């Protein structure tokens, strides 16, 4: 267990980046009496930290920009934190422990945290640099996409994951005269989280709302006009799509360039140990720009755990260090609830339980190995997702309650309690299962 502080109260702590990870760290630090008294935060954007997860409802016109702000500038001053906005750190000199921004500002530090986040991963295809090609990562991107939606035309979204689908839905909702197509490279939407059935349900729902979903779509090149503006997307199979704008939402690239330039150990991102320390003891890295044991990050849950470890490490509080742990994905795409964890595909060793309510549009699929839940996909009604995940983490053996599993924790508990008082628990379980299935006459159970 680590208890040695990386900072003393008299040290100058400088944080590069004012995104969600950086802000959560600051929130944690200012609560500690052993915090560094001098904290400077440098953000490349002109606004204080905001909730990027809410960019999609902002684009869709469902909330105002002010609702995304995590803290206003006055809060930082009240906490004794110096906030520098609209400046980008260009050089880092580890020997002298100084850095310089694009405005010519020079700062010294005792300990430095790089929390520069990530940027959209751009496909390596001809034409990607054309005018009219956008990402969807920050407030400026959201404003650009809002203008696209209001102009109308043909928008093509590259990426059928969460961010791409949210961008597509936001464009569709915000524009009255816009046609939106989504290109997904794999054979199904959200292939990292959903199985084939759930992905088809999602595709059908989004198609009914007016999106054009194209799977198995490999982008070959983007075509521009004489003015250098995108006008068409060419797919590898010869298909062509009209495009007055292209939005790229097909993964992220860690912003690790500053670490590379400074000579820190890097791979896909800035390499850190379990204390979030880089190859330089005076420098830490946090969030999407860091890499731990070969893994990079794009979801908030593991990054929040990193924040807890780094805050403790900086303030000299006990911590076991960061370790990757299983996590569940809870998502909502324009009102469609999804919950998933574990393997997406079933192997030969898996016992597969599935339930599909055609009338309500609910779907559940569990993967069991030796009586233990190893993976789950829930579409529509996701209320039982956390219970399934809890059982998976605990390694609970559930063979005795297999016939009730698809109906959730309450039904399993009924069986469990009854089996403790019944001389023939197997007969009682059979009756319970039969009763439950007969009460869902509109359902398909496999």
């Amino acid at each position: 267990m680590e208890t040695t502080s990386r900072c003393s109260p008299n040290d100058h702590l400088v944080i590069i980046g004012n995104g969600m990870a950086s802000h959560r760290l600051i929130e944690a630090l200012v609560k500690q009496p052993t915090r560094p008294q001098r904290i400077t935060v440098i953000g490349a954007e002109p606004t204080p930290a905001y909730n990027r997860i809410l960019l999609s409802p902002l684009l869709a016109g469902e909330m105002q920009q002010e609702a995304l702000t995590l803290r206003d500038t006055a809060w930082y001053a009240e906490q004794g934190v110096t906030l520098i906005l609209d400046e980008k750190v260009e050089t880092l000199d580890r020997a002298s422990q100084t850095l310089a921004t694009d405005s010519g500002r020079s700062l010294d530090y005792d300990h430095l945290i790089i929390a520069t986040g990530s940027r959209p991963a751009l496909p390596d295809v001809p034409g990607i640099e054309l005018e009219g090609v956008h990402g969807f990562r920050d407030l400026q991107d959201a404003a650009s996409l809002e203008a696209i939606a209001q102009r109308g035309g043909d928008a093509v979204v590259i990426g059928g994951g969460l961010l791409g689908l949210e961008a597509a839905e936001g464009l569709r909702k915000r524009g009255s005269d816009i046609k939106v197509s989504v290109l997904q490279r794999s054979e199904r939407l959200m292939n990292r989280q959903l199985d084939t059935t759930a992905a088809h349900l999602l595709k059908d729902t989004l198609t009914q709302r007016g999106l054009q979903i194209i799977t198995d779509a490999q982008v070959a090149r983007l075509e521009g006009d004489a003015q250098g503006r995108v006008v068409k997307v060419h797919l590898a199979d010869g298909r062509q799509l009209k495009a007055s704008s292209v939005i790229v939402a097909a993964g992220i690239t860690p912003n690790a360039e500053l670490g590379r330039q400074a000579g820190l150990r890097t791979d896909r991102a800035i390499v850190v140990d379990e204390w979030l320390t880089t190859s330089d003891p005076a420098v830490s890295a946090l969030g999407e720009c860091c890499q731990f044991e070969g893994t990079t990050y794009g979801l908030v849950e593991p990054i929040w755990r990193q924040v807890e470890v780094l805050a403790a490490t900086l303030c000299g509080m006990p911590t076991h260090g960061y370790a990757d742990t299983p996590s569940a994905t809870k998502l909502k795409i324009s009102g469609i609830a999804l919950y998933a964890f574990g393997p997406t595909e079933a192997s030969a060793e898996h016992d597969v339980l599935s339930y599909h309510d055609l009338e309500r549009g609910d779907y559940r699929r569990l993967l069991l190995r030796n009586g233990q839940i190893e993976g789950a996909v829930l579409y529509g009604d996701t209320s039982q997702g956390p219970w399934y995940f809890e059982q998976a983490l605990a390694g609970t053996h559930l063979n005795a309650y297999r016939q009730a599993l698809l109906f959730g924790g309450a039904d399993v508990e009924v069986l469990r309690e009854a089996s403790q008082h019944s001389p023939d628990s197997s007969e009682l379980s059979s009756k319970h299962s039969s009763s439950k299935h007969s009460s869902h006459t509109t359902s398909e159970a496999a």
Side-chain angles (χ1 to χ4, degrees):
M1 180 178 290
E2 176 87 349
T3 56
T4 303
S5 174
R6 292 287 192 271
C7 281
S8 75
N10 296 322
D11 283 346
H12 184 198
L13 175 66
V14 176
I15 304 173
I16 303 174
N18 188 221
M20 291 174 65
S22 167
H23 179 77
R24 192 174 180 95
L25 176 65
I26 296 166
E27 290 262 16
L29 289 175
V30 297
K31 298 174 183 176
Q32 301 303 323
T34 54
R35 57 162 274 192
Q37 293 306 303
R38 290 183 64 206
I39 301 177
T40 299
V41 186
I42 307 171
E45 294 186 65
T47 56
Y50 55 89
N51 189 340
R52 296 182 192 275
I53 297 172
L54 298 179
L55 284 174
S56 298
L58 174 68
L59 170 61
E62 298 169 354
M63 60 174 50
Q64 299 298 311
Q65 180 175 324
E66 294 74 24
L68 275 67
T69 303
L70 296 173
R71 296 284 189 175
D72 60 21
T73 54
W75 178 86
Y76 290 85
E78 290 166 2
Q79 306 302 319
V81 175
T82 301
L83 178 63
I84 300 171
L85 296 176
D86 206 17
E87 292 190 29
K88 182 179 179 181
V89 175
E90 289 194 326
T91 60
L92 169 60
D93 186 337
R94 294 193 293 117
S96 63
Q97 297 194 178
T98 59
L99 56 84
T101 73
D102 55 2
S103 72
R105 186 192 306 266
S106 179
L107 288 173
D108 65 283
Y109 65 86
D110 295 298
H111 194 88
L112 180 72
I113 299 170
I114 302 176
T116 44
S118 65
R119 61 186 182 277
L122 299 178
D124 185 18
V125 296
I128 197 67
E129 75 290 342
L130 289 168
E131 185 181 350
V133 179
H134 303 268
F136 185 38
R137 194 67 185 161
D138 56 29
L139 287 171
Q140 184 175 345
D141 293 334
S144 297
L145 267 60
E146 178 187 348
I148 289 170
Q150 293 175 349
R151 282 198 306 268
D154 297 279
V156 176
V157 178
I158 300 176
L162 173 64
L163 191 61
L165 296 178
E166 287 188 331
E169 269 287 89
L171 287 166
R172 182 192 65 82
K173 286 182 174 181
R174 198 61 177 264
S176 58
D177 189 28
I178 187 168
K179 177 184 176 182
V180 184
S181 301
V182 178
L183 305 181
Q184 169 69 334
R185 183 173 181 172
S186 73
E187 77 284 356
R188 65 178 187 265
L189 297 175
M190 298 187 66
N191 57 298
R192 293 184 179 180
Q193 291 87 20
L194 303 183
D195 65 1
T196 300
T197 301
H200 283 164
L201 288 169
L202 180 59
K203 180 180 179 180
D204 289 346
T205 300
L206 295 177
T207 299
Q208 290 166 11
R209 293 182 180 182
L211 297 181
Q212 180 184 22
I213 308 292
I214 304 174
T215 55
D216 289 311
Q218 176 69 42
V219 177
R221 66 185 180 93
L222 308 183
E223 179 184 336
D225 60 15
Q227 288 72 45
R229 182 171 187 86
V230 67
V231 293
K232 196 174 291 185
V233 177
H234 293 257
L235 303 183
D237 60 9
R239 286 178 291 177
Q240 301 177 17
L241 287 82
K242 290 174 58 179
S244 54
S245 59
V246 172
I247 295 86
V248 180
I252 57 176
T253 298
N255 290 326
E257 287 74 17
L258 188 63
R260 290 193 183 96
Q261 293 169 4
L264 295 173
R265 184 187 169 202
T266 60
D267 184 20
R268 287 175 296 155
I270 301 171
V271 177
V272 298
D273 63 15
E274 63 266 45
W275 319 118
L276 285 304
T277 306
T278 69
S279 54
D280 182 339
V283 181
S284 301
L286 172 69
E288 293 175 336
C289 70
C290 82
Q291 177 177 326
F292 174 70
E293 294 185 348
T295 300
T296 54
Y297 303 90
L299 298 175
V300 295
E301 186 177 333
I303 293 175
W304 288 174
R305 295 199 303 269
Q306 291 179 0
V307 167
E308 293 175 3
V309 170
L310 185 53
T313 301
L314 293 172
C315 296
M317 298 182 295
T319 174
H320 290 287
Y322 178 78
D324 279 329
T325 59
S327 59
T329 303
K330 183 178 181 180
L331 307 170
K332 185 167 284 191
I333 301 174
S334 194
I336 305 168
L338 309 167
Y339 191 99
F341 64 86
T344 303
E345 304 290 347
S347 69
E349 292 77 28
H350 281 128
D351 186 10
V352 182
L353 304 182
S354 62
Y355 168 88
H356 188 182
D357 188 323
L358 296 172
E359 205 169 86
R360 298 181 181 180
D362 292 336
Y363 169 72
R364 290 163 230 165
R365 188 219 60 190
L366 303 178
L367 298 181
L368 281 74
R369 189 193 298 267
N370 300 323
Q372 297 174 288
I373 297 177
E374 199 167 81
V377 173
L378 288 80
Y379 180 100
D381 179 4
T382 61
S383 59
Q384 294 300 311
W387 184 83
Y388 290 132
F389 188 53
E390 181 182 330
Q391 305 312 303
L393 290 179
T396 307
H397 289 270
L398 296 163
N399 267 340
Y401 319 105
R402 183 183 185 279
Q403 55 267 60
L405 274 177
L406 286 170
F407 304 101
D411 289 71
V412 169
E413 287 306 315
V414 168
L415 272 183
R416 183 178 280 133
E417 291 176 11
S419 66
Q420 293 173 356
H421 300 95
S422 170
D424 190 348
S425 60
S426 60
E427 180 182 350
L428 196 153
S429 296
S430 177
K431 289 180 180 178
H432 178 83
S433 176
S434 175
S435 170
K436 289 299 292 188
H437 280 279
S438 64
S439 67
H440 289 264
T441 56
T442 62
S443 302
E444 293 179 347

